[in-house]
Amino acid sequence: MSLPSPYPRFALADSLTPEQLTFFQEHGFLHFRSFINPEAVANLLRASELVQQRWLSDEVKKVNGVPIKYGHDVDGAPIVQRFAFSSHHSPVLHEFLQDPRFTALFPLLEAPGGRVGENEKDGLVINHYVNVTGSEFSQMGWHTDSLRDVFYGKKIGPMLNVGVHLDGTPATNGGLRVIPGTHRQSLRDILFRKKYYKDVGPDAQEIAIETEPGDLTVHDGRMWHRVAQSPLVGEASRRRVMYVPILAGKYEPKHDNSPTPFYLRFLHLVK
């Protein structure tokens, strides 16, 4: 099955439709319009700003072993550009993850025991991209989310990466790019198709995921994807998105004394 152009945008209800399941099985991603309304978007942004104020004040370096990435905003003020386990520090963000519609995505795992990974991997991550001098986070090179399992000598487990987009991102402003169908690739291609994070350029087979505020996207953890840098500078380049994993298999929560995962020791390379 070839990918329709433009690819379809769906609506997420209490359960997935046969069309949505078939599309994901073939292409490895789904895009849902208007998962949350503008008021909910504003509430989530305010919640993230409160967490940011606290972490800046307390000079938080890591949360559950995961480094926090800081940078500078358009006015030069310090900001958090990559939050980890943010819902552990905000009742608003925690409550958001209880939305029952997330459970509708569990069948995409094709495995029993699906759950929202609020306490696993990096928890609820908030990425804040801005293209200005002093920014430490304006793009993210090609990668798969399954590499972490390979690093620890484990069989690649079922994983979905679910994104809630808080800003609109047309293709002309950078944003998420995916290579459809790569969720069915071999382990060799997972490891070597691209140079992890160092390769940042376009791929002939990639497609741009163009979002509006409040949209939800989901992609298979084995899929190759990147976040393209905005060609714009300053306020127009701002993009904020929250990601939470949906998992199956052994429950592996993180805690205050968790070591820094090996793959995150290279987070400083992501600019």
Side-chain angles (χ1 to χ4, degrees), residues 123-127 161-165 176 217 219 241-245:
L124 179 64
V125 170
I126 304 174
N127 290 332
N161 207 352
V162 179
V164 179
H165 300 262
L176 180 63
T217 59
H219 65 260
V241 57
M242 307 193 313
Y243 282 104
V244 67

Side-chain angles (χ1 to χ4, degrees), residues 6-269:
Y7 68 86
R9 278 70 162 174
F10 300 103
L12 184 60
D14 293 336
S15 61
L16 296 172
T17 66
E19 179 188 9
Q20 293 164 359
L21 286 165
T22 298
F23 186 92
F24 185 86
Q25 289 164 359
E26 181 70 22
H27 302 295
F29 75 99
L30 288 167
H31 183 171
F32 299 98
R33 287 291 193 207
S34 303
F35 178 71
I36 55 175
N37 61 32
E39 181 182 3
V41 170
N43 287 339
L44 294 173
L45 287 171
R46 281 194 294 270
S48 70
E49 289 165 0
L50 290 174
V51 176
Q52 174 176 271
Q53 291 172 12
R54 193 177 313 121
W55 287 4
L56 286 168
S57 176
D58 295 344
E59 299 183 346
V60 175
K61 299 294 190 295
K62 295 181 181 180
V63 177
N64 294 345
V66 179
I68 305 306
K69 195 171 184 67
Y70 291 90
H72 291 87
D73 209 340
V74 295
D75 59 358
I79 56 172
V80 179
Q81 296 205 258
R82 187 181 191 273
F83 302 70
F85 294 101
S86 56
S87 67
H88 289 198
H89 298 262
S90 166
V92 172
L93 298 177
H94 169 73
E95 181 63 27
F96 173 69
L97 294 183
Q98 314 314 307
D99 190 312
R101 290 176 295 171
F102 285 119
T103 65
L105 302 173
F106 291 177
L108 300 176
L109 292 166
E110 298 180 347
R115 60 188 180 275
V116 176
E118 183 176 12
N119 305 316
E120 300 173 84
K121 306 294 186 181
D122 297 351
L124 179 64
V125 170
I126 304 174
N127 290 332
H128 186 169
Y129 299 96
V130 61
N131 188 19
V132 294
T133 300
S135 171
E136 291 292 322
F137 211 38
S138 63
Q139 64 181 328
M140 184 177 289
W142 287 106
H143 63 286
T144 75
D145 300 317
S146 295
L147 182 66
R148 63 189 75 195
D149 287 344
V150 177
F151 261 128
Y152 290 102
K154 300 190 300 183
K155 180 180 178 181
I156 293 175
M159 177 189 170
L160 309 172
N161 207 352
V162 179
V164 179
H165 300 262
L166 305 178
D167 292 291
T169 305
T172 52
N173 195 22
L176 180 63
R177 307 290 194 266
V178 302
I179 303 179
T182 52
H183 64 306
R184 300 298 188 192
Q185 67 193 327
S186 67
L187 178 60
R188 176 181 176 83
D189 283 342
I190 287 176
L191 291 174
F192 301 116
R193 178 171 179 148
K194 302 281 188 183
K195 294 178 181 177
Y196 273 78
Y197 300 111
K198 290 187 177 181
D199 286 346
V200 297
D203 185 282
Q205 298 180 36
E206 73 176 35
I207 65 166
I209 306 299
E210 299 188 274
T211 60
E212 297 175 357
D215 283 3
L216 181 141
T217 59
V218 53
H219 65 260
D220 192 292
R222 298 165 292 182
M223 169 178 272
W224 279 101
H225 59 287
R226 71 181 177 110
V227 177
Q229 185 179 58
S230 174
L232 307 176
V233 177
E235 185 61 39
S237 72
R238 191 183 308 281
R239 306 188 308 276
R240 290 160 293 188
V241 57
M242 307 193 313
Y243 282 104
V244 67
I246 286 181
L247 310 164
K250 183 181 178 182
Y251 180 54
E252 298 180 307
K254 298 285 186 66
H255 49 77
D256 288 344
N257 296 320
S258 292
T260 298
F262 179 78
Y263 62 91
L264 284 176
R265 296 175 186 177
F266 301 99
L267 187 61
H268 68 281
L269 297 176

